[in-house]
Amino acid sequence: MKIIMLGAPGAGKGTQADILAKKLDIPTISTGNILRAAVKAGTPVGLKAKSFMDAGKLVPDDVIIGILAEALQGPECANGYILDGVPRTIPQAEAMEAQGVDIDYALDLEVPDEAIVERMSGRRVCPACGATYHIVNNPPAKEGVCDKCGADLIIRADDAPETVKDRLRTYHEQTEPLIAFYCGRGKLKTVENQPTIEGNTAEIFKALGI
Ligand code: AMP
């Protein structure tokens, strides 16, 4: 199964992608995680991406198309994958099609902007393994410490309230048109926001028939 997670930043794409990946036994490819690792390692891609990411802007399409093509070549992707945070623009989606990436579903997580702002203020991430938490909705067992690898959790720089507003604006302008794009291809599944993570997961499983 090949699935694209669509939705605003903070809609829960990463959290639900991880749950789905476990259920379906396929990997999650997160361009955000790949880029953060590149920034941390100081690679040429990281150096190019950093200023865009810090400002809540999208990294140029050519950079993303390159890192995605490389990631999808991994043997772990042979039986399918979940794409978290990519494509983010129509040109990225078109480039994927041109490369022969044939997805089964684009899953749109619909969350109102006000709920996004609230969620992102409580988000904590693991800088070592990329796991995501929320101080209220999905706290780690020990405050401030990653359940999976034991590293200290951090607040992402681009989760600052002003940057969140910029990211939402970018989402509406550049990413939201993908909903119509995949609807036109008969691939769209929409899930309305539920009060809990488990509620959203149940709706997603229902939408995908799994
Ligand atoms: P995310 O973790 O998916 O919210 O991504 C964090 C940041 O990485 C975004 O705000 C963008 O600056 C950049 N980024 C991640 N994926 C993409 C993409 N597909 N296209 C452009 N920029 C991206």
Side-chain angles (χ1 to χ4, degrees), residues 9-10 13 30-33 35-36 49 52-54 56-61 64 84-89 92 123 156 158 167:
K13 299 189 296 294
S30 156
T31 40
N33 283 352
L35 289 168
R36 278 184 287 278
F52 295 99
M53 295 173 75
D54 286 348
K57 301 217 163 8
L58 293 184
V59 172
D61 288 334
I64 298 296
D84 166 18
V86 68
R88 283 278 233 286
T89 64
Q92 288 179 21
R123 177 152 73 174
R156 268 170 54 171
D158 58 355
R167 292 171 72 199

Side-chain angles (χ1 to χ4, degrees), residues 29-31 34 65-77 81:
I29 310 288
S30 156
T31 40
I34 295 172
I65 291 162
I67 60 174
L68 183 64
E70 196 186 319
L72 294 184
Q73 273 168 17
E76 68 282 6
C77 290
Y81 42 77

Side-chain angles (χ1 to χ4, degrees), residues 115-125 132-140 153-156 159 164:
I116 295 281
V117 175
E118 191 280 321
R119 274 192 202 179
M120 280 162 109
S121 64
R123 177 152 73 174
R124 301 290 180 272
V125 296
T132 306
Y133 301 86
H134 188 280
I135 50 173
V136 179
N137 303 334
N138 180 29
L153 301 178
I154 58 165
I155 299 176
R156 268 170 54 171
D159 279 348
V164 168

